[in-house]
């Protein structure tokens, strides 16, 4: 695939993994990365690409319709991969306005810019990256399919659901060549340490309490981030315009099991705690998240059968790779844990 791909949110967790994988697999490709550098965006994630003629970083906001329109005018963009979002459920509970602004209005501005740029050309491909959380919460059994009705229950998932609807509406109304993906929980390198896995890693490494919400039995379906990026490239290359693809790892785990696994890995791979205690002794069951969805599980049969995609990394391999990556990059965690994050963390969890 030649030409320029506009990646939004490329300095975030999944976006920076995606840009690296894209340029490694398609060396002739050029990437324009539009990112506002919120607390979650770290340009150092892509420092290795500085000076590479195939890469341009643009510091900008997807809500700025004029700026996004100018970018389409300057660059010959034939595809958009849209990651930029506010992505953390707890933050959406504490402050939903930013989620509506970026996830809904920002996606709208981007869709408008793409519609104007590609109007009548028969060109373009707009991959809207979304979450399985739009489907709501499952009971003990069952899986989300592409036909599961939307039932978002947090401000984060509601804002993502709205953006999914807008993206599909632009396909149906204006013929914009939209593809939508809904993926389960990701983990791996560059994930901000407010999300379960890097947060537990960081606290367990330093002997701090490990906050487990409620009874610890909420279930998530975990996917190694490189597998998600591989699925996104598959959809970008071979997906049928107008279709939605669910992406998941078939790795349903209760949260408490994830936390215990990280404790066990750190006891094996990292220096022991000063007290000599096993790290699982740091686990604390804390007040539950309001409206906490009980279980997510993806049926990824469509992408498997129609696009021949399957994850390559098992959970056991992936979690050890992730823990080893964080152990090998202590400077990365220190770098992203700046003052604004600490203030937020203390406000949310200080009383627990
Ligand atoms: P992230 O929070 O790590 O990164 C978000 C990036 O978007 C950051 O670089 C941030 O600076 C940028 N950004 C935020 N607001 C912006 C704005 N107004 N304009 C331009 N850039 C802005 O997020 P992530 O975990 O990498 O998630 C990426 C996408 O994938 C999101 O759309 C999310 O909903 C979706 N998703 C995430 C997961 C997951 O487990 N993390 C699972 C499924 C889907
Ligand atoms: P999170 O990483 O925030 O992802 P999401 O809410 O989008 O699924 O949380 C994953 C699960 O872990 C979720 O059930 C909430 C739980 N959790 C904790 O128990 N403790 C924590 O400190 C965090 C951040 C999450």
């Amino acid at each position: 695939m030649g030409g320029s791909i506009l990646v939004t949110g490329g300095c975030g967790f999944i976006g920076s993994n995606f840009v690296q994988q894209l340029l490694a697999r398609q060396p002739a490709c050029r990437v324009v990365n539009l990112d506002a550098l919120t607390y979650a965006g770290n340009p150092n994630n892509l420092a290795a690409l500085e000076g590479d003629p195939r890469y341009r970083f643009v510091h900008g906001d997807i809500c700025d319709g004029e700026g996004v329109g100018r970018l389409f005018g300057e660059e010959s963009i034939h595809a958009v991969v849209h990651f930029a979002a506010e992505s953390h459920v707890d933050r959406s509970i504490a402050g939903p306005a930013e989620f509506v602004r970026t996830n809904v209005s920002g996606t709208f501005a981007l869709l408008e810019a793409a519609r104007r740029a590609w109007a009548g050309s028969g060109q373009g491909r707009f991959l809207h990256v979304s979450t399985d959380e739009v489907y709501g919460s499952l009971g003990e059994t069952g899986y989300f399919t592409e036909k599961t009705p939307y039932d978002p229950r947090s401000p984060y998932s509601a804002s993502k659901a709205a953006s999914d609807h807008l993206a599909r509406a632009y396909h149906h109304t204006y013929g914009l060549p939209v593809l939508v993906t809904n993926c389960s929980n990701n983990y791996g390198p560059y994930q901000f340490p407010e999300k379960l896995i890097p947060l537990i890693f960081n606290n367990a490494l330093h002997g701090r309490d490990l906050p487990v919400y409620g009874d610890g039995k909420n279930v998530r379906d975990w996917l190694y981030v490189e597998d998600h990026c591989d699925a996104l490239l598959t959809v970008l290359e071979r997906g049928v315009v107008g279709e939605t693809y669910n992406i998941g790892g078939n790795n349903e785990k209760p949260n408490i099991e994830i936390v215990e696994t990280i404790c066990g890995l750190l006891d094996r791979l990292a220096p022991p705690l000063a007290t000599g205690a096993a790290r699982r002794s740091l686990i604390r069951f804390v007040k539950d998240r309001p409206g906490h969805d009980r279980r997510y599980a993806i049926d990824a049969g469509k992408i498997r059968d129609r696009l021949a995609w399957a994850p390559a990394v098992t959970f056991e391999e992936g979690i050890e790779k992730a823990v080893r990556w964080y152990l090998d990059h202590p400077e990365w965690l220190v770098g992203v844990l700046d003052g604004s994050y600490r203030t937020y963390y203390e406000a949310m969890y200080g009383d627990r």
Side-chain angles (χ1 to χ4, degrees):
M1 205 186 294
S4 288
I5 297 185
L6 175 62
V7 173
T8 69
C11 295
F13 163 47
I14 306 173
S16 52
N17 279 281
F18 179 81
V19 170
Q20 291 178 47
Q21 193 176 127
L22 172 64
L23 288 174
R25 279 173 50 173
Q26 298 178 15
C29 182
R30 184 165 182 280
V31 172
V32 178
N33 171 14
L34 174 65
D35 197 302
L37 298 182
T38 68
Y39 77 96
N42 184 350
N44 290 336
N45 294 356
L46 296 174
L49 294 173
E50 262 169 45
D52 188 325
R54 299 173 305 158
Y55 177 72
R56 176 182 172 199
F57 172 64
V58 178
H59 185 196
D61 190 330
I62 57 166
C63 301
D64 169 14
E66 274 181 32
V68 177
R70 265 198 311 278
L71 203 52
F72 271 91
E74 283 166 28
E75 301 276 350
S76 162
I77 290 174
H78 68 83
V80 175
V81 184
H82 175 33
F83 294 98
E86 288 294 332
S87 69
H88 188 42
V89 173
D90 290 331
R91 280 183 192 260
S92 82
I93 295 167
E98 200 55 27
F99 286 71
V100 175
R101 195 188 82 87
T102 285
N103 299 2
V104 186
S105 303
T107 300
F108 165 70
L110 205 58
L111 288 164
E112 264 301 287
R115 176 169 86 90
R116 286 173 202 277
W118 295 335
S121 70
Q123 299 288 307
R125 235 163 143 76
F126 190 112
L127 173 49
H128 175 68
V129 180
S130 192
T131 166
D132 61 353
E133 304 191 23
V134 297
Y135 296 123
S137 181
L138 291 165
E140 295 287 307
T141 58
Y143 294 90
F144 298 134
T145 74
E146 290 80 359
K147 296 197 160 44
T148 302
Y150 273 32
D151 183 22
R153 293 148 50 100
S154 72
Y156 164 64
S157 55
S159 67
K160 290 297 291 187
S163 68
D164 294 9
H165 289 320
L166 274 172
R168 291 196 188 97
Y170 267 64
H171 172 67
H172 289 291
T173 308
Y174 304 114
L176 193 75
V178 168
L179 301 131
V180 177
T181 55
N182 294 93
C183 187
S184 60
N185 286 61
N186 284 215
Y187 68 101
Y190 305 110
Q191 188 169 32
F192 196 84
E194 64 187 351
K195 305 277 167 55
L196 179 70
I197 288 180
L199 182 143
I200 295 297
F201 168 90
N202 196 37
N203 285 15
L205 182 68
H206 296 108
R208 296 186 205 121
D209 285 357
L210 307 179
V212 175
Y213 300 169
D215 63 4
K217 293 189 181 142
N218 297 63
V219 170
R220 299 291 182 262
D221 179 359
W222 295 92
L223 182 68
Y224 194 65
V225 64
E226 287 173 9
D227 275 333
H228 185 195
C229 295
D230 178 51
L232 293 173
L233 279 173
T234 303
V235 172
L236 192 61
E237 286 164 16
R238 304 203 298 277
V240 175
V241 160
E243 294 282 320
T244 294
Y245 299 90
N246 279 359
I247 303 169
N250 219 8
N251 275 312
E252 285 176 56
K253 308 270 179 211
N255 294 334
I256 187 67
E257 196 178 315
I258 300 287
V259 174
E260 285 174 349
T261 300
I262 296 169
C263 289
L265 281 165
L266 280 175
D267 285 344
R268 176 157 65 84
L269 300 172
L273 293 178
T275 59
R279 285 180 164 85
R280 55 181 302 165
S281 66
L282 302 168
I283 291 173
R284 304 283 177 267
F285 291 94
V286 298
K287 193 168 69 186
D288 209 354
R289 170 188 281 171
H292 194 176
D293 288 342
R294 191 62 175 171
R295 174 172 166 262
Y296 303 144
I298 281 275
D299 176 347
K302 179 174 171 181
I303 189 170
R304 182 194 62 221
D305 296 345
R306 302 212 192 153
L307 304 183
W309 177 84
V313 181
T314 65
F315 183 75
E316 289 66 33
E317 290 163 355
I319 192 72
E320 181 157 342
K321 268 163 75 133
V323 164
R324 285 183 184 276
W325 186 88
Y326 283 101
L327 280 173
D328 290 344
H329 296 83
E331 76 295 344
W332 187 87
L333 273 180
V334 171
V336 297
L337 286 171
D338 65 5
S340 59
Y341 171 65
R342 276 202 301 276
T343 309
Y344 160 78
Y345 183 85
E346 279 155 15
M348 281 294 284
Y349 301 109
D351 63 341
R352 286 179 166 174

